[in-house]
Each structure stands twice: as structure tokens, then as C-alpha cells.
Amino acid sequence: MPKPKWTKEEAFPVIEQVVKNLCQQNGSADRDQIASALINDPSGKRLIQRGLQGSDRSAFRVAGNIVDWFSAELTSHSSVAARYTDIYKRERVKRSHLETGKSREIYLYTLAL
């Protein structure tokens, strides 16, 4: 896997704001909803465009990878993700992949408060 073209310190606040906005609007947000919202968020769009440089992946796939990276850091309780661990509850849910239609498990985020 190629090295990301962004840092956790710059990407995580963007993801956190997108997740928070979705949760406040809809009550929850799953991985694919977050990835889609990142594509439409100005800061998220900049991260995705950097991730697309020299790649043949879709914007949705790059955005999904950013969300997966955030989720993995939450799961491992990394120091950079520590400030976000008490904000969200996550649960595994079955969803159809937006591009392939295949069923898989992804995280559903809700606000912990």
C-alpha cells in the first residue's frame, strides 16, 4: 500500500467534523456516508485530490480508505486518535458496498453524548 499523501494530524480533524455533522443531521453515519460527505467537503476534497495523484483509484475509494484509516486508529487507541475515542460509539453493521453492491460489515458511528 502506498504511503498516504496526508498526515493523521491533518486528516483526522476533517473526518471528525464530517462525522459530527452527519450524526447531528441524521443521528448516525456509516463508513460510506462519511466517505461520500468527504468528497463534498472542501477540506476533505483537498485530501482526496492529493490521494488521487498518481493513482487509478476512484475518489470514493480514496475517501473510504481515509475513513478506514481513522477507524483503525480508533480501534487501536492510538495517541493521535485518543481525543476522538470518547466522542463516538461505533457498531458493526451489514451494508451493501456503494460501488460493488456486495454485502460487507462496516462501522456505524453515533455521538456518544
Side-chain angles (χ1 to χ4, degrees):
M1 176 179 232
K3 185 176 179 178
K5 296 177 171 116
W6 55 83
T7 66
K8 295 172 189 174
E9 291 79 12
E10 69 180 315
F12 285 11
V14 174
I15 298 166
E16 191 272 332
Q17 189 60 53
V18 166
V19 174
K20 184 184 284 181
N21 289 344
L22 287 169
C23 286
Q24 288 173 340
Q25 291 169 6
N26 307 323
S28 65
D30 70 32
R31 180 244 195 222
D32 292 346
Q33 292 168 326
I34 298 164
S36 294
L38 275 174
I39 292 169
N40 296 311
D41 178 83
S43 297
K45 189 179 290 191
R46 283 191 290 277
L47 291 173
I48 293 163
Q49 287 171 342
R50 286 170 37 201
L52 287 171
Q53 292 174 355
S55 169
D56 62 352
R57 296 178 294 162
S58 70
F60 181 76
R61 186 164 177 202
V62 170
N65 286 345
I66 295 170
V67 177
D68 292 343
W69 189 29
F70 179 75
S71 186
E73 293 294 318
L74 287 176
T75 299
S76 69
H77 302 287
S78 75
S79 59
V80 77
R83 64 181 270 192
Y84 307 109
T85 56
D86 293 334
I87 298 173
Y88 303 107
K89 292 191 293 185
R90 295 180 306 150
E91 68 176 284
R92 300 285 260 164
V93 296
K94 287 210 181 257
R95 294 282 197 269
S96 293
H97 192 281
L98 290 179
E99 288 184 325
T100 67
K102 292 183 180 180
S103 179
R104 83 245 198 264
E105 285 191 356
I106 58 176
Y107 278 110
L108 178 72
Y109 291 78
T110 55
L111 293 174
L113 302 176

